[in-house]
Amino acid sequence: MSTLLEVSGVSVSFDGFKAINNLSFQIGPAEMRAIIGPNGAGKTTFMDIVTGKTRPDEGRVLWGEKSLSLLKMSEARIAREGVGRKFQRPTVFEDQSVHDNLLMALKNDRTPWSVLFFRPKFKDLARVEELASEIGLSDELNRKAGELSHGQKQWLEIGMLLAQEPRLLLVDEPAAGMTLSEREHTTDILVEAAKTRAVVVVEHDMEFVRRLNCKVTVLHEGSVLAEGSLDHVTQNQDVIDVYLGR
Ligand SMILES: Nc1ncnc2c1ncn2[C@@H]1O[C@H](COP(=O)(O)OP(=O)(O)OP(=O)(O)O)[C@@H](O)[C@H]1O
Ligand SMILES: [Mg+2]
């Protein structure tokens, strides 16, 4: 199987504390992966390293067919290479419609000037419809984003990320604050997205992880403690001791 992202031997310390410790991780081009582990295990820091926000002290982070090093790239360049990240607080434009939020997300150049003079082509409008359908917001296209529920805003944010056609999507704790039906819909969106790209989901909600139905990586003290199916890792005694049995 080919590899889209290969992290090997990565370590990073903050004031002498090793938040990531000789971490290795690989994901293929159309793969869903869940990352679980106790608070402070390094899950968010791992995403910070892949997106270029945090630079590791040692190790390699290689990307794509050409095995380019992400460590030499700026955050903006890494995003252009196809790494998209969803933050917990949605960054939708509340005063704009769902339609216009998705339309603006299609453009790479999102300076106010270029957005102002953006003349959407037919294919852009068709793509907006397609994205709205993927995130289940087809009936909300004309509503202002500010009127959406918390869950709907999160889906819009995912749609805006998908508009950029990332090859890898990183999602940190998407289920937080969602109702059960919102969480189920979020799972559906992510599972669909992972058919054509790599998706990494950090989540504490085990029912959510179960519905993702994918390989699970357990982080603990900045390293991989266990990896495999959810049933496999949840039967691992080390995982029970440090995480599940708390
Ligand atoms: N910029 C930073 N400066 C100092 N310490 C940091 C920084 N970022 C993370 N840490 C520390 O690194 C460790 C790992 O944090 P991280 O946020 O990656 O954990 P996590 O697995 O995402 O936890 P949670 O499940 O609570 O979100 C923690 O001890 C945290 O305090
Ligand atoms: Mg975190």
Side-chain angles (χ1 to χ4, degrees):
M1 194 190 76
S2 66
T3 304
L4 177 65
L5 176 76
E6 180 174 3
V7 172
S8 54
V10 163
S11 297
V12 67
S13 297
F14 299 114
D15 308 318
F17 171 76
K18 252 193 176 174
I20 297 289
N21 187 6
N22 194 23
L23 177 69
S24 294
F25 176 94
Q26 292 188 353
I27 190 164
E31 185 182 345
M32 170 77 82
R33 180 73 58 86
I35 299 184
I36 63 173
N39 298 114
K43 303 180 298 294
T44 299
T45 305
F46 163 75
M47 291 190 171
D48 290 343
I49 289 170
V50 174
T51 56
K53 188 176 170 215
T54 294
R55 301 294 171 175
D57 305 323
E58 53 191 312
R60 294 188 307 174
V61 180
L62 301 178
W63 172 255
E65 293 72 19
K66 293 179 186 156
S67 294
L68 299 174
S69 173
L70 294 187
L71 300 180
K72 299 190 180 81
M73 297 181 195
S74 67
E75 283 187 72
R77 170 80 197 285
I78 292 171
R80 283 200 302 278
E81 280 289 327
V83 179
R85 178 180 195 175
K86 183 182 174 320
F87 288 92
Q88 238 184 307
R89 211 164 54 90
T91 54
V92 301
F93 299 101
E94 304 251 327
D95 291 334
Q96 303 287 329
S97 66
V98 169
H99 179 276
D100 288 356
N101 268 282
L102 289 171
L103 188 61
M104 279 187 278
L106 286 179
K107 290 189 43 58
N108 282 317
D109 177 7
R110 271 195 275 173
T111 56
W113 186 256
S114 74
V115 167
L116 198 59
F117 292 97
F118 181 41
R119 294 281 171 270
K121 298 184 181 64
F122 177 76
K123 74 166 173 46
D124 298 323
L125 299 171
R127 180 75 181 125
V128 166
E129 303 270 336
E130 193 176 79
L131 285 164
S133 154
E134 276 175 57
I135 55 176
L137 292 182
S138 296
D139 294 338
E140 320 292 337
L141 276 170
N142 296 319
R143 286 181 67 195
K144 279 194 176 163
E147 296 171 2
L148 299 176
S149 72
H150 169 73
Q152 288 174 322
K153 277 184 199 168
Q154 301 283 339
W155 304 331
L156 177 55
E157 171 106 5
I158 293 172
M160 291 165 72
L161 283 165
L162 293 176
Q164 304 276 313
E165 300 190 2
R167 299 185 65 196
L168 168 65
L169 187 59
L170 304 170
V171 192
D172 203 350
E173 301 196 28
M178 287 191 179
T179 64
L180 175 61
S181 70
E182 285 177 336
R183 291 199 296 269
E184 287 175 349
H185 182 55
T186 304
T187 317
D188 295 343
I189 295 171
L190 295 174
V191 167
E192 188 61 32
K195 288 179 181 167
T196 51
R197 78 201 73 239
V199 177
V200 177
V201 181
V202 166
E203 188 49 68
H204 287 289
D205 180 336
M206 283 300 141
E207 279 313 304
F208 191 95
V209 172
R210 181 165 297 283
R211 280 192 302 270
L212 291 176
N213 190 26
C214 65
K215 188 169 172 181
V216 177
T217 298
V218 186
L219 284 196
H220 175 56
E221 295 178 345
S223 308
V224 175
L225 183 64
E227 205 163 59
S229 70
L230 185 60
D231 286 333
H232 172 78
V233 300
T234 54
Q235 283 161 22
N236 179 306
Q237 192 58 46
D238 293 336
V239 175
I240 294 168
D241 289 346
V242 306
Y243 187 47
L244 300 170
R246 292 171 306 170

